[in-house]
Every structure is written in structure tokens, then in C-alpha cells.
Amino acid sequence: MAEIGTADAVEPLHRARPDVTLVELSRLRPPLGGAARSRLDLNGAGRVIAYAERFDDDSIAFALNRGACGFLPRTATPRDLVRAVHAAVAGEAPADPTAIGAVLRTVAHPTASGARPGGSGPTGEFRLTPREEEVIRLVAFGLTDGEAGLRLSIAESTVRYHVRNILRKLGVTRRAHAVYQATRSGLI
């Protein structure tokens, strides 16, 4: 376990190679600022779930850019936390409804400071099928694969298939980045 109070504190996470890392969102903001903040790389720390007292657009953008896949409020119950960890391990993007608004604002309107959710994006044009567009919209609202399947009357495994295709077509590896790319391209 490492407390992320400086960029150097992330090193133990990279060595331990956890499946999921919980990071307090305020730890991603000043006083960690400046050069230390720009060196903070959570991409080797497994699936990252950020939690916070409240969610603001700049912190969400910074966390997404550093590899966060989910967001929980500090008031999350132990049951919510366990569910979020299981969802993250399954490749989903667990997000509390209170965070979804900030996530969507962040991907739709990158901050003036230049913090943009990552993902290099595809080279050239890409086209999603109508079903893939439906799936990415539901992913953007934080639905799990099972919930999206129920909404679309398709199997959960079919939703996962569509998500894999979406990630490939958009040139990203994380669902949050796919939402960003789809938003940027006007699909959402």
C-alpha cells in the first residue's frame, strides 16, 4: 500500500502491480502540483478508481488522463466499493451518478489547462455501427455491460463484443477514453 502524496510514491504501486488501485482524487491535485504532478503516472497501477468528496471537471480530466477508469464518492458504502472493484477488474468503468456529470462535461469540453482524457485515437476515419453507437452512449452513462444488455435486449457477452470493437475502432484501450473519443467526434 502506498499513499500518493508525491509523484515518487507511485513507484511502489508499479512494483506491486495491483489489479485495482484506489486513489483519493485530491491527491492528484496541488500540493502535488508542478513538475511532480506532470510526472504522476498511474497507468502501471492496474485499474484505477478515484474517489473524492466532490468531483470537479479539472480533477476528473487529470485523473482520466492519468488512467483512471472509475469514480466513487468518499461516502460510498463498502458494498459500493466492492462492486466498483469487481466492475473495474471486469474491464468496466464504475462511476457513481454524482460523478457522471463531471465526466461527461470533461470529455465534452477539455479544460483550459490542457488536461484532456488520454487515448491517441485512430488514424484516419472510423465508423461505428448503429448498435455500437447505442452501446457507447450507454457506456457514457455508466451502465455496466449487463445493464446495457438489458436495455438493448442483447446478451452481456454481445455488449462486451461491441465494446471491444468500439475500443479497437477508436484506437483506445479504456472505456473512458472511448467515451471521450466518441464525444469529441460528435457521436454522443
Side-chain angles (χ1 to χ4, degrees):
M1 165 97 64
E3 178 180 350
I4 299 178
T6 68
D8 296 331
V10 177
E11 283 299 315
L13 291 174
H14 293 275
R15 283 193 300 273
R17 304 187 63 76
D19 292 327
V20 177
T21 299
L22 299 174
V23 177
E24 184 176 357
L25 200 52
S26 66
R27 296 290 187 176
L28 301 178
R29 300 188 55 163
L32 185 66
R37 187 173 182 202
S38 67
R39 288 191 334 247
L40 181 59
D41 178 11
L42 297 173
N43 284 317
R47 306 278 294 161
V48 176
I49 300 173
Y51 66 95
E53 190 83 27
R54 66 178 191 78
F55 301 99
D56 65 76
D57 297 359
D58 287 339
S59 292
I60 294 275
F62 186 78
L64 284 171
N65 204 28
R66 294 303 186 266
C69 73
F71 300 91
L72 290 176
R74 183 176 294 212
T75 58
T77 65
R79 177 180 284 174
D80 292 336
L81 180 60
V82 168
R83 251 187 288 197
V85 168
H86 285 284
V89 168
E92 298 174 4
D96 185 79
T98 61
I100 291 175
V103 171
L104 292 176
R105 280 190 308 277
T106 298
V107 297
H109 306 288
T111 65
S113 65
R116 301 176 82 118
S120 58
T123 56
E125 285 294 313
F126 60 88
R127 293 203 43 85
L128 298 181
T129 66
R131 179 62 87 184
E132 289 167 346
E133 289 179 9
E134 291 175 310
V135 169
I136 193 65
R137 285 187 191 103
L138 295 176
V139 168
F141 283 105
L143 273 65
T144 65
D145 292 344
E147 292 166 336
L150 287 174
R151 282 256 179 107
L152 298 172
S153 300
I154 60 177
E156 184 176 345
S157 60
T158 305
V159 173
R160 284 194 299 271
Y161 170 80
H162 287 305
V163 169
R164 281 192 305 273
N165 283 340
I166 292 166
L167 295 175
R168 180 184 49 78
K169 287 179 179 182
L170 298 180
V172 297
T173 58
R174 297 194 182 220
R175 295 164 74 106
H177 297 163
V179 170
Y180 169 72
Q181 291 290 356
T183 302
R184 197 170 90 176
S185 67
L187 293 174
I188 298 177

